[in-house]
Amino acid sequence: MKFSLKLLLCTMMVLATALGFSGYYFVNYVFETSIAREAQQALDDDSILRFAFETAALNVPAKYDMLQDQTVEQIASNLETGGQNTRRMLRLCDEQKNVLYMSDGFVADDGLLVQTDESTRTWQVVRLDNRFYIRTGSTVNALNRVLYLETMRNVSEVFEERELGFKVYRRVTILMLFLGALIMHFISSWLTRPIRQLTKATKHMAAGEYDYRARKVSNDELGQLTKDFNRMAEALENNMNELEAQIQDREDFVAAFAHELKTPLTSIIGYADMLRSRKLDEEKSFLSANYIYTEGKRLEAMSLRLLEIIVTKRQKIEMQLISTDSLFDYLQNMFAGEREMDFCFSREKAKVWAEPNLIKTVLVNLVDNACKASEAGGKIEVCGSCTENGYRFDVRDYGIGIDNKELKNITKAFYMVDKSRSRSKNGAGLGLALCVEILYLHKSRLKIASEPGKGSRFSFVLPMEIKQQENAADGTAQETKAGGLI
C-alpha cells in the first residue's frame, strides 16, 4: 500500500472517530440539557398544582373537618381542565396510595409512587406508545390529609429533536468525511511528493542513470533528505566514474605494457634468430648483439621501474630531516658526466622532512626527463627555495615542451608524448608515474607547467624545518614541521 494512501486512511480514521465522539457528545449534551430543563419545568408545574390544590382545599365549606374524596376528585378535575397546558395529566392518591383521581391516558405505574414521601419529590422519564413523558411525584397537605400527586408532561419533542440531531449530524459527518478525504488526498499527495521524486530517482539510478537527480520540492525534512540523497548520488556517480576510469587505466596499462614488451622482444628475437640462423660478418654481428643488448637494457629498466612503482604504493615510509645540500650534491655528482647538457644548480640551505632515497629518485627522474626533452647543449635548471608552504624544488628545461592537452596524461604509466624520441633514449613512460606515487606518500604533489617549444617546469614542495623562538614558559627552543601542498 502506498504511503500516501496509508496517510489518507489513518487521517480519515482519526477524523471519523473524532467526529463520531464529538457528535455523540454534542447531541447528547443538548438532549440532556433539554431533558433537565423539561424536568425542572415539570417540577415547577407540580409545585403550581400543589399550591392550587391546597388553595382550593382551603375554600371547601367548614362543615367538613376532613377533605372528602369527592371533593378531591372535583378539585383534581378542575385542575386538569383549568390549565392552558393541554399535555397536563395527573393522578391523586390517598394516604394508603389508593387512586382517588386519574386522568385519561395516565399510566398506572406505582414505581414512582413508592419512592415518594412527604419530604421527597421524585421524577422519571417514561415511554408510552413511542411517546415520552416526564412523571413527577409529590405530596399535598390539605385539611388534615396527606395526598400523593403525580403529573405527566409530554416531552416527546425533546427525543424527536435528539433523533433529528443524530440524523443531521450523521449527514454532516459523511459530508465532512467526503470533503476531508478530498482535501487529505491532495495534502497527502503534496506531502509525499518528495518521496515520489526520490523513488523515481532510485529507479533511474537502478537502471544505470547515475547522473539523474531528484528534484527538491520542499524545504522541510523531506527536502533535506532529497538534498542528502542527491549528495549521495553525486558521490556514487563520482565513485563509479573513478572506478570506470581505474578500469580504463588498467586496460590502457595492460595494452601499453604489452606493446612496450612487444617492441623490444620483437627486436631481440629477430636479431637473435639472425645470429643463430646465418653466419654474419663481424660488423653485422656486433650491430645485432648491440640491438639485443640495448633492448634488453630497456626491458630491464622498465621492469625495475614497474617494481619500484609497486613497492612504493605498498610501503610505509619513515620521514626524517635531511639537508637540501646533500640532495643537490647527489644530483651534481649523478649528472657530472653528462657533458652534453648545461646544468645550473641553485638552492637555499634548509632541512626538509622526507625519505632520502625516495626523494633522490624523484629528483633524478625529473632531471633525467629534462635531459631527454632537451637538445644537446640545452640548459637545465635545478632550484631549491624556501616558501611559506615549505621547501620548493624546481626542475626546468628549455626543450620541446608539452602541449596542454597532454599534461593530464603524462603522469600515467607508459604514456609518452613522443614515443619515438622516448624509446630512442631508453624511455618507457614510467618515470613521472613513479614520481607521483612517491610524492603522494610525502603528502605532496607534482606541479607541471609547460609550453610547446619553450620547455617545461616540474616542481613540488616538501615540509621544512622551521626554527621558532624560545618558549617563554620553559626557555627551550622548539622545532616544528611546516608544510603544505602546492
Side-chain angles (χ1 to χ4, degrees):
M1 183 182 294
K2 293 184 178 180
F3 178 75
S4 58
L5 184 57
K6 290 182 180 179
L7 181 62
L8 175 61
L9 291 178
C10 291
T11 305
M12 295 311 299
M13 289 174 61
V14 173
L15 182 61
T17 303
L19 289 175
F21 278 106
S22 61
Y24 178 81
Y25 173 79
F26 176 74
V27 174
N28 274 285
Y29 174 79
V30 174
F31 169 74
E32 291 174 0
T33 302
S34 299
I35 286 293
R37 184 178 63 251
E38 292 292 336
Q40 185 62 44
Q41 185 66 40
L43 292 175
D44 291 343
D45 289 345
D46 179 79
S47 298
I48 293 173
L49 288 176
R50 288 173 56 200
F51 178 76
F53 188 92
E54 291 174 353
T55 301
L58 292 176
N59 294 326
V60 174
K63 62 180 179 178
Y64 298 108
D65 295 333
M66 182 178 295
L67 192 64
Q68 300 298 312
D69 291 343
Q70 294 179 351
T71 305
V72 171
E73 293 178 7
Q74 184 63 39
I75 295 174
S77 177
N78 293 335
L79 291 177
E80 179 183 358
T81 58
Q84 297 178 356
N85 191 347
T86 57
R87 294 180 298 170
R88 178 184 297 171
M89 292 186 292
L90 55 88
R91 181 173 74 165
L92 278 170
C93 298
D94 59 13
E95 291 81 349
Q96 288 74 33
K97 299 183 179 179
N98 296 319
V99 178
L100 297 178
Y101 180 84
M102 184 171 66
S103 301
D104 294 336
F106 195 97
V107 180
D109 185 2
D110 297 336
L112 186 66
L113 188 61
V114 173
Q115 302 174 14
T116 306
D117 54 32
E118 295 184 12
S119 60
T120 305
R121 290 198 302 171
T122 58
W123 67 273
Q124 68 178 161
V125 178
V126 295
R127 181 176 180 178
L128 299 175
D129 299 330
N130 295 325
R131 300 189 69 82
F132 296 88
Y133 299 87
I134 290 181
R135 176 185 287 181
T136 62
S138 61
T139 58
V140 179
N141 296 313
L143 295 180
N144 298 323
R145 293 193 69 176
V146 177
L147 304 176
Y148 293 91
L149 173 64
E150 294 177 276
T151 63
M152 289 183 65
R153 180 182 180 86
N154 191 340
V155 292
S156 299
E157 292 182 0
V158 177
F159 285 86
E160 291 173 358
E161 289 175 357
R162 183 180 70 166
E163 291 299 323
L164 180 61
F166 278 126
K167 183 183 294 184
V168 172
Y169 199 84
R170 280 193 294 269
R171 294 176 180 177
V172 172
T173 300
I174 294 173
L175 179 61
M176 291 295 293
L177 289 176
F178 177 74
L179 295 177
L182 291 178
I183 296 173
M184 280 306 303
H185 172 70
F186 290 108
I187 292 177
S188 61
S189 298
W190 176 69
L191 290 177
T192 57
R193 187 181 178 189
I195 299 178
R196 293 196 300 274
Q197 292 290 331
L198 290 175
T199 303
K200 183 179 179 181
T202 55
K203 290 181 179 179
H204 280 276
M205 294 187 66
E209 300 179 31
Y210 298 107
D211 59 341
Y212 188 88
R213 297 292 181 269
R215 188 160 61 92
K216 184 179 177 182
V217 294
S218 64
N219 294 319
D220 53 9
E221 291 82 358
L222 290 176
Q224 183 62 39
L225 177 62
T226 302
K227 185 177 179 181
D228 294 339
F229 177 87
N230 288 336
R231 189 181 298 115
M232 179 195 70
E234 184 176 358
L236 179 61
E237 183 185 10
N238 292 336
N239 291 336
M240 292 298 298
N241 292 335
E242 289 179 4
L243 289 175
E244 291 177 357
Q246 291 177 5
I247 293 174
Q248 185 63 41
D249 289 342
R250 289 181 182 180
E251 292 178 354
D252 294 342
F253 176 85
V254 172
F257 182 68
H259 181 74
E260 291 299 324
L261 285 178
K262 179 182 178 181
T263 302
L265 285 176
T266 300
S267 299
I268 291 172
I269 293 172
Y271 283 108
D273 182 63
M274 185 182 298
L275 287 174
R276 76 179 179 87
S277 62
R278 66 183 69 176
K279 189 174 182 179
L280 303 175
D281 56 31
E282 184 178 352
E283 182 180 359
K284 290 184 178 180
S285 296
F286 175 79
L287 290 176
S288 299
N290 186 59
Y291 274 118
I292 294 174
Y293 175 79
T294 303
E295 294 301 314
K297 291 296 290 184
R298 195 158 77 87
L299 282 177
E300 180 187 29
M302 183 172 63
S303 62
L304 290 175
R305 287 288 177 84
L306 282 174
L307 183 61
E308 287 178 353
I309 292 176
I310 294 172
V311 172
T312 301
K313 287 184 176 181
R314 296 181 179 178
Q315 71 176 351
K316 294 182 179 179
I317 63 173
E318 294 184 2
M319 309 285 280
Q320 63 184 56
L321 276 174
I322 57 175
S323 172
T324 55
D325 285 340
S326 64
L327 296 176
F328 279 90
D329 291 341
Y330 175 81
L331 289 177
Q332 286 176 322
N333 294 332
M334 174 69 66
F335 293 95
E338 188 67 49
R339 302 298 181 183
E340 296 181 354
M341 297 298 171
D342 180 15
F343 287 98
C344 178
F345 294 92
S346 63
R347 76 268 194 178
E348 294 183 44
K349 291 184 178 181
K351 289 185 178 182
V352 295
W353 289 92
E355 204 289 322
N357 294 326
L358 293 179
I359 290 302
K360 289 177 182 178
T361 301
V362 172
L363 291 171
V364 168
N365 275 288
L366 293 180
V367 175
D368 185 59
N369 281 345
C371 293
K372 293 176 182 178
S374 303
E375 300 295 336
K379 185 177 181 180
I380 296 175
E381 298 176 353
V382 182
C383 305
S385 59
C386 298
T387 66
E388 294 181 357
N389 296 326
Y391 195 86
R392 182 188 183 98
F393 291 89
D394 286 284
V395 179
R396 183 172 185 178
D397 66 75
Y398 296 87
I400 59 175
I402 307 171
D403 191 77
N404 286 333
K405 63 182 181 179
E406 304 286 352
L407 288 178
K408 63 180 180 180
N409 296 320
I410 61 174
T411 56
K412 295 181 179 180
F414 296 113
Y415 188 86
M416 293 175 282
V417 178
D418 189 345
K419 296 184 182 293
S420 61
R421 182 185 182 92
S422 298
R423 285 175 181 149
S424 67
K425 297 188 178 184
N426 291 328
L430 294 172
L432 291 180
L434 178 60
C435 292
V436 170
E437 294 297 333
I438 294 175
L439 292 178
Y440 177 77
L441 294 176
H442 286 77
K443 294 182 173 54
S444 182
R445 65 185 180 91
L446 186 65
K447 185 176 181 180
I448 306 172
S450 183
E451 187 175 349
K454 294 185 178 181
S456 305
R457 171 181 285 181
F458 296 83
S459 59
F460 62 92
V461 172
L462 292 178
M464 181 178 61
E465 177 196 43
I466 298 177
K467 298 283 187 179
Q468 292 190 342
Q469 297 180 353
E470 289 188 352
N471 191 313
D474 54 16
T476 60
Q478 296 181 342
E479 292 184 355
T480 61
K481 292 185 291 183
L485 302 180
I486 59 174

